[in-house]
């Protein structure tokens, strides 16, 4: 199976498999350690300004990191949610990705460190995502923003970006102009072809079940559209979207299904499936050359949609 991957992706899979041998048992501590280890080797391209701060959250102060591109003019705002199975990830794990996205999209990027499972299961991360999106919309002037707003995220963060857009529609605001969903953790089913065929390439079926147990807790919870937006009865009126999937990702079919649901509901969608790629590849700028290509791709959509082009 590895031999079918793009050479850069194959190198990354082999590297990860060596690391995982050090942690044969699934644990919260182990997954968080692997995430931090991966972030240590990623380059961090410069941007005009990076500022850490906290904002009011549903359960106290919530850390965010604000990235600003070069230039003095107001810029559109992108609220970004990191991946990590709802269990790992933080501001540091996706620092390089957010820097690249800031530079290429010419947007202010607000990276959100939401509460993690299993200490904080659903709906804690959703509540934080909604609160951060509302805060960004209410503080356009402080962010140096134009008022144009997008949500974005990868993997679990792609789920949260989609949920933030869904909640904004349901609750009458804030107005979200675009959503970028990078191999989102949406609509995943154990019997899907992508799960069966690509289990073990970065993510295994057992990993997915473990993350699900940590975050959702029960199958009943997974029926909630704010846990899995594919469960929503109506997808009309949602913001236009870019949905990016990877050919050898167990989550691929769920992302494809959501793109189809949005399109069927009359939402403008651009779906791109990256051949030869694996789950998480956009963050792997140190190893996978197509990572920066993908960032440039979605950044172009943001520039056009938000008026920064």
């Amino acid at each position: 199976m590895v031999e079918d991957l793009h050479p850069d992706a194959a190198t990354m899979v082999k590297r990860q498999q060596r690391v995982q041998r050090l942690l044969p048992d699934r644990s919260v501590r182990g997954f968080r350690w692997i995430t931090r280890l991966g972030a240590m080797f990623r380059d961090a391209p410069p941007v005009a300004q990076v500022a850490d701060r906290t904002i009011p959250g549903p359960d106290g102060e919530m850390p965010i990191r604000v990235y600003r591109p070069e230039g003095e003019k107001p810029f559109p705002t992108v609220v970004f949610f990191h991946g990590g199975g709802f269990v790992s990830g933080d501001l540091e794990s996706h620092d390089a990705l957010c820097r690249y996205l800031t530079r290429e999209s010419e947007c202010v990027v607000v990276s959100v460190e939401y509460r993690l499972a299993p200490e904080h299961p659903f709906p804690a991360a959703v509540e934080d995502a909604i609160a951060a999106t509302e805060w960004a919309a209410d503080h356009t002037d402080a962010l140096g923003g134009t008022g144009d707003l997008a949500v974005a995220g990868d993997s679990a963060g792609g789920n949260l970006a989609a949920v933030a857009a869904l909640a904004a529609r349901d609750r009458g605001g804030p107005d979200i102009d675009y959503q970028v969903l990078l191999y989102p953790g949406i609509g995943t089913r154990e019997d899907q072809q992508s799960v069966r065929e690509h289990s073990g390439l970065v993510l295994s079926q057992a990993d997915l079940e473990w993350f699900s147990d940590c975050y959702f807790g029960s199958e009943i919870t997974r029926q909630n559209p704010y846990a899995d937006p594919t469960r929503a009865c109506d997808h009309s009126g949602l913001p236009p979207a870019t949905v990016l999937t990877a050919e050898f990702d167990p989550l691929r079919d769920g992302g494809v299904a959501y793109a189809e649901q949005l399109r069927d509901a009359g939402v403008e969608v651009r779906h791109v499936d990256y051949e030869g790629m694996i789950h998480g590849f956009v963050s792997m700028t140190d190893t996978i050359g197509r990572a920066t290509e993908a960032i440039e791709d979605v950044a172009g959509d943001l520039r056009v949609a938000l008026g920064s082009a």
Side-chain angles (χ1 to χ4, degrees):
M1 189 184 302
V2 175
E3 59 271 14
D4 296 325
L5 300 174
H6 184 284
D8 289 351
T11 297
M12 191 62 213
V13 167
K14 291 174 183 177
R15 177 192 295 179
Q16 186 192 51
Q17 289 173 343
R18 290 194 295 269
V19 172
Q20 287 179 329
R21 292 190 190 103
L22 302 175
L23 296 167
D25 298 323
R26 290 175 187 82
S27 69
V28 172
R29 184 176 180 181
F31 273 110
R32 291 175 182 171
W33 178 81
I34 289 175
T35 301
R36 284 193 293 269
L37 181 66
M40 290 173 59
F41 298 100
R42 290 175 188 146
D43 57 336
V47 295
Q49 185 180 43
V50 179
D52 288 351
R53 61 167 297 174
T54 59
I55 61 174
D59 188 39
E61 293 298 295
M62 181 165 47
I64 64 170
R65 179 170 293 171
V66 181
Y67 302 82
R68 186 173 179 81
E70 297 286 347
E72 298 300 324
K73 65 179 181 179
F75 296 100
T77 303
V78 177
V79 183
F80 183 86
F81 305 104
H82 66 78
F86 302 104
V87 170
S88 65
D90 52 26
L91 299 180
E92 298 301 332
S93 65
H94 286 63
D95 180 68
L97 173 53
C98 287
R99 287 171 177 268
Y100 276 111
L101 188 60
T102 300
R103 285 161 55 101
E104 298 300 328
S105 68
E106 298 181 19
C107 294
V108 171
V109 173
V110 179
S111 181
V112 180
E113 188 167 305
Y114 54 87
R115 287 171 290 169
L116 298 175
E119 298 94 335
H120 304 284
F122 176 86
V126 170
E127 293 170 347
D128 289 354
I130 293 171
T133 304
E134 292 175 345
W135 179 90
D138 291 340
H139 291 79
T140 298
D141 291 342
L143 292 169
T146 61
D148 298 291
L149 179 66
V151 290
D154 70 317
S155 193
N159 174 299
L160 293 176
V163 169
L166 186 64
R169 184 205 64 180
D170 294 346
R171 301 179 184 193
D175 292 332
I176 296 175
D177 300 292
Y178 208 75
Q179 52 182 325
V180 173
L181 314 179
L182 306 176
Y183 31 81
I186 292 175
T188 304
R189 309 285 185 271
E190 293 178 9
D191 61 347
Q192 285 174 336
Q193 182 177 350
S194 61
V195 173
R196 296 195 311 270
E197 292 185 353
H198 307 317
S199 175
L201 294 177
V202 180
L203 288 173
S204 68
Q205 182 172 337
D207 291 335
L208 297 177
E209 293 171 356
W210 185 81
F211 285 131
S212 178
D213 289 343
C214 287
Y215 179 61
F216 299 115
S218 70
E219 184 59 32
I220 294 177
T221 299
R222 293 185 64 168
Q223 310 304 311
N224 189 316
Y226 288 173
D228 182 354
T230 64
R231 303 287 188 175
C233 297
D234 179 15
H235 295 90
S236 63
L238 290 172
T242 293
V243 180
L244 184 152
T245 55
E247 180 183 7
F248 290 94
D249 183 0
L251 302 187
R252 178 184 180 275
D253 289 355
V256 172
Y258 193 59
E260 292 174 350
Q261 284 184 316
L262 292 175
R263 191 176 291 115
D264 290 345
V267 177
E268 183 180 345
V269 179
R270 191 172 79 91
H271 170 233
V272 186
D273 189 54
Y274 270 72
E275 295 182 0
M277 290 294 108
I278 54 177
H279 186 75
F281 81 94
V282 177
S283 293
M284 302 172 187
T285 51
D286 58 316
T287 305
I288 298 180
R290 296 202 72 190
T292 52
E293 175 188 333
I295 295 171
E296 292 168 359
D297 187 14
V298 299
D301 289 349
L302 285 168
R303 288 197 305 271
V304 172
L306 303 181
S308 61

